[in-house]
Amino acid sequence: MHTADLKYMKRALTLARKGIGRTSPNPAVGCVIVKDGQIIGEGWHKKAGTPHAEIHALNMAGEAAQGADVYVTLEPCCHSGKTPPCSDALIRAKVKRVVAGMPDPNPMVNGKGLKELELAGIETACGLLEDACRSINRPFIKHVVSGLPYVIFKSAMTLDGNIATVTGDSRWISCEESRRYVHQMRNQCDAVLVGVDTVIIDNPQLTVRHVRGRNPLRVIVDTRLRTPESVKILESPLAKKTVIATTETNPRVHLRYLQQGAQILVCEAEDGRVSMYDLLTKLGKMGVQSILLEGGNRVAGNMLQNGLIDEFVFFYAPKIIGNSGFAPFTLQGITSMNDAIRLVITNIRRSGDDIVVHAWPEKTCSPV
């Protein structure tokens, strides 16, 4: 690959990032069309059901696309869904070369798109800046391969590892800049998930407020349906985008929540509580690709010990509570350091007064 190829793929990545959090269940994709050293067309996938990145770029380039080079962050699709195949559009435009950042892991594509282009006489290459291309579509990759959503655990903690005081007070541990960052994370995720105790203690809205964006689906893990009907999350119109996961099967008990507009999701039980794997499976079938896990140390501990968390974001504030506070995870059976669940720290940075630590589970080292 030439230096120019890297330049144009980086531009395609910049375009693709504009779609993060907007394209589910589709991937975020960017495309750049180049001819005689000049960009003649570019675009990104803006929303599921609308034209893909390649189509926007081809429309911008027009007839000049003939004989041009195309840089796209993901292998062009070759199947019909809500939109026609991009591979067909590229063939009709008579482009000269297509450089893809990564193959499409969707079994309906997975190399077939590039093969169709090659059969039509179009030169292809794949794997340019692949790690960067994968990083912007971790939720899509996990969901299309496993059917499960990609789970990001977020926690605001004091320096001594507490998420709340002995009374349950946690407002506000982190600084305003960190809270804005969390709201941006909500904006980019399909759903935000908390345990019922967090709802009872904090009465959160779980909406996007400090940045511009759209509100995610709100999921409450509530095995025995203890969620008070008066909480903010069940107020109109928030209730219409709220799911309560439970093991309670009695429809008469469900009714008081259904009447407020919430959805009840009956899940299998595991050790007397909602099975988190079953819940994630059901959410995945609903098209949920990404989840921001925000609250509930029992829920978080259960998911951690069952290997259901893909990424961790810890916000450490310069405060100390002491040993009467609460830890972010309730874990079972860890009696020595040899039993500790190990993470790989990938990034550390400042956020106002806080320190933000990003990490992956050591068993995967990378979530994609």
Side-chain angles (χ1 to χ4, degrees):
M1 293 291 177
H2 301 293
T3 302
D5 291 330
L6 292 171
K7 170 186 173 182
Y8 298 129
M9 187 59 77
K10 287 179 180 178
R11 173 59 184 166
L13 277 163
T14 297
L15 293 168
R17 292 186 183 101
K18 294 175 180 284
I20 293 177
R22 297 292 178 271
T23 62
S24 181
N26 295 342
V29 181
C31 180
V32 172
I33 300 178
V34 179
K35 193 172 186 178
D36 299 326
Q38 298 293 322
I39 294 177
I40 60 172
E42 60 181 28
W44 70 94
H45 187 36
K46 299 179 181 180
K47 185 180 179 181
T50 66
H52 293 184
E54 297 96 321
I55 306 305
H56 286 297
L58 286 170
N59 288 340
M60 182 177 174
E63 294 182 359
Q66 183 172 343
D69 292 338
V70 178
Y71 299 84
V72 59
T73 55
L74 182 73
E75 175 186 5
C77 64
C78 57
H79 65 284
S80 295
K82 294 183 178 179
T83 59
C86 291
S87 57
D88 288 353
L90 292 166
I91 292 169
R92 287 195 304 270
K94 299 180 180 179
V95 302
K96 177 184 177 183
R97 183 171 70 128
V98 173
V99 180
M102 62 170 286
D104 189 336
N106 187 337
M108 298 178 70
V109 186
N110 199 15
K112 300 182 184 73
L114 292 173
K115 189 65 176 179
E116 284 194 5
L117 296 175
E118 292 168 1
L119 290 173
I122 297 172
E123 180 186 346
T124 68
C126 187
L128 182 62
L129 298 180
E130 183 168 352
D131 287 347
C133 291
R134 285 181 173 273
S135 71
I136 63 173
N137 278 312
R138 292 172 189 139
F140 167 75
I141 295 169
K142 182 181 180 184
H143 185 259
V144 80
V145 171
S146 70
L148 298 175
Y150 182 86
V151 178
I152 304 171
F153 173 77
K154 158 264 165 186
S155 182
M157 296 183 288
T158 59
L159 279 181
D160 55 347
N162 288 296
I163 60 172
T165 66
V166 67
T167 63
D169 181 31
S170 61
R171 296 185 178 178
W172 295 103
I173 290 178
S174 58
C175 67
E176 185 175 347
E177 184 174 331
S178 295
R179 293 198 295 274
R180 281 198 301 270
Y181 182 65
V182 169
H183 280 252
Q184 184 60 41
M185 293 172 69
R186 287 182 185 176
N187 170 49
Q188 293 183 343
C189 286
D190 294 335
V192 57
L193 186 150
V194 297
V196 64
D197 289 336
T198 297
V199 173
I200 293 172
I201 295 170
D202 294 342
N203 193 14
Q205 297 181 60
L206 302 179
T207 55
V208 173
R209 298 185 299 279
H210 297 292
V211 299
R212 292 184 62 185
R214 59 98 170 96
N215 291 326
L217 180 73
R218 289 166 291 278
V219 181
I220 307 171
V221 181
D222 186 358
T223 299
R224 297 174 183 82
L225 289 183
R226 296 187 291 120
T227 301
E229 297 165 56
S230 59
V231 295
K232 294 176 182 177
I233 205 169
L234 292 179
E235 293 177 356
S236 181
L238 296 183
K240 293 182 179 180
K241 209 174 178 182
T242 296
V243 172
I244 304 177
T246 182
T247 60
E248 175 60 68
T249 59
N250 189 336
R252 288 180 295 178
V253 181
H254 299 170
L255 188 60
R256 65 178 185 264
Y257 300 110
L258 297 175
Q259 288 175 333
Q260 292 182 266
Q263 178 180 348
I264 297 294
L265 197 59
V266 178
C267 300
E268 296 175 3
E270 182 179 5
D271 296 328
R273 298 191 181 117
V274 167
S275 164
M276 298 309 299
Y277 181 82
D278 185 56
L279 172 57
L280 293 184
T281 300
K282 286 180 165 62
L283 291 174
K285 290 179 179 178
M286 291 168 57
V288 175
Q289 279 190 357
S290 55
I291 293 174
L292 183 61
L293 173 57
E294 284 206 36
N297 53 11
R298 283 186 295 191
V299 170
N302 181 304
M303 293 183 72
L304 177 60
Q305 288 198 303
N306 284 284
L308 298 175
I309 299 177
D310 300 286
E311 184 176 341
F312 299 80
V313 183
F314 300 102
F315 294 84
Y316 287 96
K319 301 174 182 179
I320 292 176
I321 292 176
N323 62 2
S324 60
F326 290 91
F329 301 102
T330 297
L331 301 175
Q332 304 296 325
I334 296 181
T335 57
S336 72
M337 281 299 165
N338 289 333
D339 300 325
I341 298 171
R342 300 187 63 85
L343 305 181
V344 175
I345 295 175
T346 59
N347 182 263
I348 301 174
R349 66 178 185 84
R350 293 293 298 269
S351 173
D353 293 333
D354 302 337
I355 296 172
V356 186
V357 177
H358 291 254
W360 315 132
E362 186 183 57
K363 64 178 182 179
T364 58
C365 292
S366 172
V368 296

